Amino acid sequence: MAYQTAYLKAHYPSEYMAAVLSRNLSNIKEITKSMDECKAMGLQVLGPDVNESHRKFGVNKKGDIRFGLVAVKGVGEGAVQNIIDERAQNGPYKDIYDFIERVNLTACNKKVLESLALSGAFDNLGVRREPFVTVNEKGETFTEIISRYGIKYQMDKQMATNSLFGADAAIEIAKPEIPKCEEWSDLERLNKEKELIGIYLSAHPLDAYRVILTYVCNTGMSDVNNREELKNKELLLGGIVTGFREGMTKRGSPYGILTVEDFTGNGEIALFGNDYINYSKYGKPGMYLFIRAAVEPRSMHIDTLDFKIKMITLLQDEKDKLIQKLSVSMSIDELDDAMVEELVFLFQQNKGKATLLFNVTDESRHVSLNLLSRNKGVEVTQKLVDALNDMEHIHFAIN
């Protein structure tokens, strides 16, 4: 079994990982782990799509993995099977009108259409997600308008089929225009996507801060409750606020519970006393936070460990200050003109304020030479980090 699965993973990586994801369809935690494995393998996992998705996870013609339609909340088995059967019988859907004219609107009702739209399943049909839930001046959404159009079209088609002239009778119904409405922010779009799929898929709201969270922060939000392991350690954490609930203690003092999410998962931070006064203002979902803290014994009960906040600031305010130095190390034996040219090109594309250091070693002579780039600083972006990770014989450290 181990040999067979290893063979499949090596020779059919997309199909193998699609099967693994399908096996854990109802377990978001396992799906998230498998998604990370897909990224490490260089596989793209794409969102649901009415023209490419199957019931569960599948693989498209390009070798990318597609999210399964049954994994979208609010979309039932009957609707999914109808969409797939119609596509197999009569070809891909050309646009949203073609889709609504062909599918069974009893199975694909307004709720299903809205869920498909907000999950991104119609993105490749040339229609954005916002109109499906934005109310117009008549108090209607595009979901309601397009559903009504589809029902009328299909009824008229049925009547034409049963008429004296048969199926050749022309069906002419004006196609409703897709209303123009204000675009959502990336965070709004991703949050709606997560509500329906269970995870951030097309992107992550923290992508702009990935380098900080990966290389500067030393603790994940999912680990904040492992206090024994974090004891007497300066903690650097960051993430996006996903929830904040408030209450009153038995003594009548207000408190708050801050829920923050990063790439490792969610964590809760309790705000009591002065912490509540000083930091409750950060309890707004969508805020990006950088947190300095420590786990220390309670003064009167040394066996009890408390999570003590030292400072909370906004990640966007701290972003440019947190990365001060990039050190790049290489062996003199591997250093050649091609590597130098590649490094020069990379750093010219990413000019910034962080100090750039080079460390060249000669192990045979036990010599190590440190070089400081005096004229050029660097901006440590995710693109730069990815490029350095892809370069053989190069090692780097941040700060």
Side-chain angles (χ1 to χ4, degrees):
M1 182 69 76
Y3 177 84
Q4 288 174 335
T5 52
Y7 179 89
L8 290 171
K9 189 174 183 180
H11 296 281
Y12 302 94
S14 297
E15 290 79 0
Y16 174 82
M17 290 308 298
V20 171
L21 286 160
S22 296
R23 180 70 180 81
N24 297 295
L25 200 60
S26 58
N27 189 332
I28 288 299
K29 191 173 181 181
E30 287 300 316
I31 281 184
T32 303
K33 285 169 61 179
S34 298
M35 294 272 289
D36 290 338
E37 179 72 8
C38 288
K39 286 179 185 176
M41 294 168 66
L43 302 176
Q44 256 197 308
V45 182
L46 305 175
D49 183 279
V50 291
N51 273 332
E52 289 192 348
S53 292
H54 300 282
R55 286 183 65 257
K56 297 184 179 181
F57 287 86
V59 180
N60 66 13
K61 293 178 181 178
K62 295 179 182 178
D64 299 323
I65 299 172
R66 273 284 180 195
F67 221 84
L69 290 177
V70 293
V72 181
K73 293 176 186 175
V75 181
E77 289 271 0
V80 171
Q81 200 57 52
N82 177 254
I83 291 168
I84 293 171
D85 289 346
E86 172 59 31
R87 186 179 73 203
Q89 188 174 350
N90 297 308
Y93 302 105
K94 300 180 183 69
D95 52 35
I96 188 62
Y97 304 107
D98 185 45
F99 177 86
I100 210 74
E101 290 166 4
R102 290 165 55 184
V103 297
N104 183 333
L105 293 174
T106 303
C108 297
N109 55 33
K110 285 184 281 188
K111 177 62 181 170
V112 170
L113 291 174
E114 187 177 296
S115 295
L116 288 170
L118 297 183
S119 68
F122 294 141
D123 284 3
N124 289 332
L125 295 185
V127 56
R128 299 202 326 266
R129 307 178 193 189
E130 295 90 340
F132 286 91
V133 291
T134 302
V135 177
N136 64 13
E137 62 276 3
K138 295 181 180 179
E140 296 178 315
T141 63
F142 185 60
T143 305
E144 295 168 322
I145 295 169
I146 198 74
S147 294
R148 191 164 59 242
Y149 163 80
I151 292 168
K152 181 77 168 72
Y153 179 92
Q154 293 185 16
M155 285 178 62
D156 285 5
K157 184 178 180 181
Q158 185 64 35
M159 289 174 64
T161 303
N162 296 330
S163 74
L164 180 64
F165 302 101
D168 293 333
I171 304 166
E172 293 188 10
I173 305 173
K175 293 177 179 177
E177 284 189 25
I178 300 170
K180 295 179 181 178
C181 52
E182 191 176 339
E183 285 191 45
W184 292 329
S185 66
D186 290 343
L187 183 58
E188 284 180 290
R189 179 175 55 81
L190 290 171
N191 280 338
K192 290 183 185 298
E193 186 179 281
K194 188 181 180 184
E195 283 174 23
L196 290 159
I197 299 177
I199 54 175
Y200 295 115
L201 188 60
S202 57
H204 196 287
L206 288 168
D207 279 344
Y209 307 102
R210 187 179 289 272
V211 175
I212 302 291
L213 298 175
T214 304
Y215 294 96
V216 176
C217 293
N218 58 16
T219 307
M221 289 307 307
S222 62
D223 298 323
V224 293
N225 290 323
N226 299 331
R227 297 189 177 179
E228 194 61 45
E229 294 180 15
L230 302 177
K231 183 179 177 182
N232 298 324
K233 177 183 175 184
E234 183 190 13
L235 308 181
L236 303 177
L237 312 99
I240 183 172
V241 177
T242 56
F244 185 61
R245 62 184 190 274
E246 298 175 277
M248 300 292 286
T249 66
K250 292 179 180 179
R251 296 182 179 181
S253 300
Y255 72 89
I257 305 294
L258 196 62
T259 304
V260 181
E261 179 178 331
D262 65 3
F263 294 110
T264 68
N266 287 317
E268 291 188 341
I269 298 173
L271 304 177
F272 291 100
N274 287 333
D275 282 349
Y276 178 82
I277 295 169
N278 295 329
Y279 304 124
S280 59
K281 62 186 177 183
Y282 293 111
K284 295 177 183 176
M287 295 189 84
Y288 299 97
L289 305 184
F290 181 70
I291 304 164
R292 295 181 187 270
V295 172
E296 300 171 352
R298 192 175 296 178
S299 55
M300 301 297 290
H301 302 86
I302 59 172
D303 293 332
T304 303
L305 297 174
D306 285 336
F307 183 90
K308 293 188 177 182
I309 299 170
K310 306 295 184 183
M311 183 186 69
I312 297 181
T313 52
L314 296 176
L315 254 177
Q316 53 266 45
D317 293 341
E318 298 293 322
K319 183 181 178 183
D320 295 332
K321 308 173 193 173
L322 290 170
I323 297 181
Q324 300 174 348
K325 181 173 64 175
L326 174 67
S327 303
V328 180
S329 302
M330 66 210 77
S331 169
I332 191 70
D333 296 325
E334 306 294 344
L335 189 60
D336 55 22
D337 290 343
M339 181 184 287
V340 170
E341 285 178 13
E342 190 170 357
L343 288 171
V344 168
F345 176 77
L346 272 177
F347 295 130
Q348 283 179 341
Q349 297 296 310
N350 294 275
K351 294 178 181 178
K353 296 179 180 178
T355 302
L356 179 58
L357 294 171
F358 293 95
N359 176 252
V360 183
T361 58
D362 184 343
E363 294 183 7
S364 63
R365 294 186 174 88
H366 304 288
V367 174
S368 179
L369 180 63
N370 291 314
L371 304 170
L372 170 65
S373 177
R374 294 187 180 277
N375 299 324
K376 294 180 181 178
V378 64
E379 181 185 3
V380 184
T381 62
Q382 187 61 46
K383 190 174 180 181
L384 174 61
V385 167
D386 290 340
L388 291 174
N389 274 321
D390 289 340
M391 291 181 69
E392 286 190 81
H393 314 301
I394 287 284
H395 303 280
F396 69 91
I398 294 174
N399 291 346

